[in-house]
Amino acid sequence: MRIRPVLPADEQPQLHRMAEEVRHILDRLLAGAPAATDTRNRLLDELSWWQDVDDRPLDEAVERSFLLRQVILRSAPSDGTWRNALSYIGDPDPVDEQVCTYDYDRAEIRFAPDSPLARPYAWMRGDGCAVETWYSRTGMSAITAWLIAVARMAAERGMPHLVLTNRLYHEAEILFDMARLADVTVRKHDDLDSLLAAANEAEHPVVIFLDSSRPDGTAAALTRLLREIDPTKVGSVLWDNTCASASDSPFEPAGPSWSEASEAPAAPLPVEPLTLLDLDDDGVGQASTTPRLRTDELTTTLVVLRSHAKLDQLGLELCSLGSVVMMTGPANTGEGPHWQTGMQRFFADSLAVTGACASPATLRLMASLGLPDESLSRRANRHLRQANALAARILIDELTPTGRYQVEENEHGCFVEIHLLELPGPEPIGGPPTWPVWDELDRELTRIGEHAAERSIPIWKSASFGFHYTGLSWYSAEDPPRPQGHAHTVLRVCFGMHDPAVTAEAAEIIAEHLTRKSSWTPIS
């Protein structure tokens, strides 16, 4: 009999954390809601529902939070009205100038100097450091625009450019395979050692793309890259940190905040370990640290790209939003200045021509709701990663002995991947739009959700992560398929920000359904 893990005494249960997050948003909306209006009354009704959640079933509370999302989008002063139009000309709201100084939807959004949107990472600061920020409609559209900008830089210089990556997220893999841009070659590496060797031996300019969703994509890996690259060859390192906490940083804490001149006092810079929080057999957190860099040791152009739809919106996924932040320091030498200038010249145009530029409506919405909120997001990130680490251990114990499944943990802790070794999959790139053999898998996932609902545990089919529920989705194994070398299907399980006992029960339900499934042969 497995010992059921318990929530540490100093941690709030999931329902209480959800209620605090909801109140954070509702308090901001109520502060601006006119008295004696239907909108204010609806917000007060929601606030009342969340005042006492101890006896609420978990799945009911999660469903209620998504109903709340509808209320938010109708009530927030920056969305849900005529202000969704591209033009904001004639809008008298003074908050607009605090968020964005343009009245039209365009790539080169300018921000007030003290706007947190101008420099979204508190750790991007230091003597002589320069930071520039762009926003995009999604994280994936930002990657597309960036790749086009890379091709333009290569054409400008009249020489081939090499993009080196670690293993890639499915959509990024497809993009890099399909683009086939002139003078740009993309090469993927299975580990950091081979990536670094290729970078430092290259004969042409190099840019590194580090994907946080795959192995060797953590802030610790980024730190090692920045420390060991040859700046005469590597002009830029792009870190897609979507699967990392926004507070994860390769740098030591620096001096006074950049926003010191603003009226608001500077928030203290968080200091966290650079590696994923792991769990030992007793469920106790263990973490090791990697020495960080000083900002004056940054010898290349650092670009941090993020999708904010996941870990930064308290699990509500209110809007799609991506950001690209470029940081350079006084030691930026060799190839670095070429990439800094190239991004300044070409990236905004790349956002514009791909339709990837962010709408000011989205930025106004996030600002009006006070998102992302660093303290709430850091706590949510911690619980999410602890849940996935615990669940991975349970799934490994339950599924590995069958010989039919292989469980792949991830450093970032946002999800667990279960390789269904007996279930074929189409080619990961260029395969058919539908795959009938997956129909039975889809039905089984529906049954898993129904089984979990009997215990008030929210397990739903969902293709994203960072929620208060557990999401199930599936796709083909990477190309080349890992870890067995033959085409098969991968079930991705994104465990929610659950308490340990709920996480364990959710993992056991999934393992029970998979182990009793005798065959994945499609029903004719």
Side-chain angles (χ1 to χ4, degrees):
M1 177 70 116
R2 185 185 303 276
I3 298 175
R4 186 69 66 193
V6 298
L7 185 72
D10 58 345
E11 291 279 9
Q12 288 184 297
Q14 183 179 3
L15 284 170
H16 287 198
R17 287 183 274 115
M18 289 181 66
E20 183 178 350
E21 294 165 4
V22 166
R23 287 194 294 269
H24 167 81
I25 293 174
L26 288 177
D27 287 346
R28 294 184 70 93
L29 294 178
L30 282 166
T37 60
D38 290 342
T39 296
R40 185 174 185 82
N41 290 337
R42 181 67 190 274
L43 293 173
L44 289 171
D45 287 344
E46 287 300 315
L47 187 62
S48 176
W49 193 94
W50 288 93
Q51 290 300 325
D52 185 3
V53 295
D54 285 332
D55 297 326
R56 305 282 191 192
L58 178 59
D59 57 350
E60 179 185 347
V62 176
E63 290 177 354
R64 183 82 180 203
S65 71
F66 282 101
L67 291 176
L68 172 65
R69 178 173 65 180
Q70 299 178 24
V71 178
I72 293 169
L73 293 177
R74 293 190 183 106
S75 306
S78 298
D79 205 25
T81 69
W82 66 271
R83 299 174 64 173
N84 279 324
L86 292 180
S87 174
Y88 295 84
I89 296 172
D91 188 340
D93 193 335
V95 74
D96 292 345
E97 285 295 308
Q98 299 173 22
V99 175
C100 166
T101 59
Y102 269 104
D103 282 326
Y104 200 82
D105 192 355
R106 58 185 295 159
E108 315 96 304
I109 297 175
R110 301 287 193 264
F111 306 103
D114 60 347
S115 169
L117 293 169
R119 192 175 293 204
Y121 298 107
W123 49 266
M124 280 193 173
R125 60 187 183 183
D127 292 338
C129 289
V131 174
E132 295 184 55
T133 304
W134 300 267
Y135 284 90
S136 62
R137 291 194 182 276
T138 66
M140 197 66 225
S141 66
I143 298 174
T144 303
W146 171 83
L147 188 59
I148 292 175
V150 170
R152 184 65 180 84
M153 292 180 220
E156 177 90 353
R157 299 180 67 185
M159 63 177 70
H161 280 50
L162 186 60
V163 178
L164 302 179
T165 78
N166 60 334
R167 288 167 56 185
L168 294 168
Y169 190 65
H170 184 61
E171 283 79 4
E173 177 106 31
I174 292 174
L175 170 64
F176 289 160
D177 178 79
M178 294 182 69
R180 310 294 174 99
L181 298 172
D183 297 323
V184 176
T185 301
V186 180
R187 293 178 184 166
K188 184 172 59 175
H189 293 267
D190 284 337
D191 57 74
L192 209 57
D193 289 335
S194 63
L195 192 158
L196 272 166
N200 291 331
E201 295 169 4
E203 297 179 356
H204 300 293
V206 172
V207 59
I208 294 175
F209 183 100
L210 200 65
D211 188 334
S212 64
S213 75
R214 310 312 299 159
D216 290 319
T218 63
L222 174 64
T223 303
R224 183 185 168 194
L225 277 178
L226 295 176
R227 191 184 299 279
E228 298 184 19
I229 57 171
D230 180 350
T232 67
K233 297 183 177 183
V234 180
S236 180
V237 175
L238 183 149
W239 184 35
D240 180 345
N241 73 339
T242 298
C243 286
S245 170
S247 61
D248 286 356
S249 164
F251 300 117
E252 294 176 352
S257 167
W258 68 277
S259 59
E260 192 173 50
S262 65
E263 293 182 4
L269 184 69
V271 179
E272 294 182 338
L274 286 177
T275 55
L276 170 67
L277 180 66
D278 199 2
L279 299 176
D280 62 18
D281 292 337
D282 297 321
V284 179
Q286 304 291 330
S288 59
T289 59
T290 297
R292 302 190 190 195
L293 293 168
R294 301 189 312 273
T295 54
D296 61 9
E297 296 178 295
L298 178 62
T299 59
T300 190
T301 296
L302 174 63
V303 177
V304 179
L305 185 151
R306 187 172 185 83
S307 169
H308 297 276
K310 297 175 173 62
L311 300 179
D312 299 336
Q313 298 185 32
L314 305 181
L316 293 176
E317 209 165 29
L318 296 160
C319 57
S320 295
L321 181 65
S323 66
V324 176
V325 185
M326 180 173 69
M327 177 182 180
T328 55
N332 192 23
T333 56
E335 281 287 307
H338 292 291
W339 289 89
Q340 180 182 12
T341 302
M343 284 289 288
Q344 290 168 335
R345 291 181 60 196
F346 301 125
F347 187 64
D349 286 339
S350 295
L351 286 173
V353 300
T354 56
C357 47
S359 168
T362 299
L363 298 174
R364 290 179 170 96
L365 173 63
M366 294 286 283
S368 69
L369 299 178
L371 297 176
D373 179 273
E374 185 175 285
S375 61
L376 294 178
S377 291
R378 288 178 64 200
R379 182 182 66 183
N381 273 263
R382 184 178 72 253
H383 284 277
L384 180 79
R385 298 172 206 287
Q386 290 172 337
N388 281 278
L390 171 62
R393 299 290 176 85
I394 294 172
L395 291 171
I396 289 171
D397 290 346
E398 297 290 336
L399 297 178
T400 302
T402 69
R404 302 169 57 211
Y405 304 100
Q406 183 159 341
V407 179
E408 184 175 4
E409 297 182 83
N410 289 282
E411 295 169 307
H412 52 71
C414 291
F415 52 80
V416 180
E417 291 170 297
I418 304 173
H419 293 258
L420 282 58
L421 307 183
E422 299 174 339
L423 180 58
E427 292 298 320
I429 299 174
T434 60
W435 189 247
V437 78
W438 277 342
D439 290 347
E440 177 55 26
L441 173 61
D442 185 75
R443 285 189 285 267
E444 191 63 40
L445 299 188
T446 298
R447 289 189 280 269
I448 289 174
E450 292 170 347
H451 183 179
E454 295 172 0
R455 306 185 192 181
S456 298
I457 298 175
I459 301 180
W460 303 328
K461 286 182 283 187
S462 170
S464 193
F465 61 87
F467 298 114
H468 279 287
Y469 65 85
T470 289
L472 306 174
S473 61
W474 64 95
Y475 39 76
S476 296
E478 294 177 63
D479 183 21
R482 294 174 173 82
Q484 307 74 22
H486 69 272
H488 62 278
T489 293
V490 177
L491 172 62
R492 186 173 78 168
V493 188
C494 309
F495 287 90
M497 296 171 274
H498 302 315
D499 299 336
V502 175
T503 298
E505 194 168 3
E508 289 164 358
I509 289 172
I510 293 168
E512 176 186 340
H513 280 257
L514 294 181
T515 53
R516 76 184 184 192
K517 188 70 178 174
S518 60
S519 173
W520 292 108
T521 303
I523 300 174
S524 57

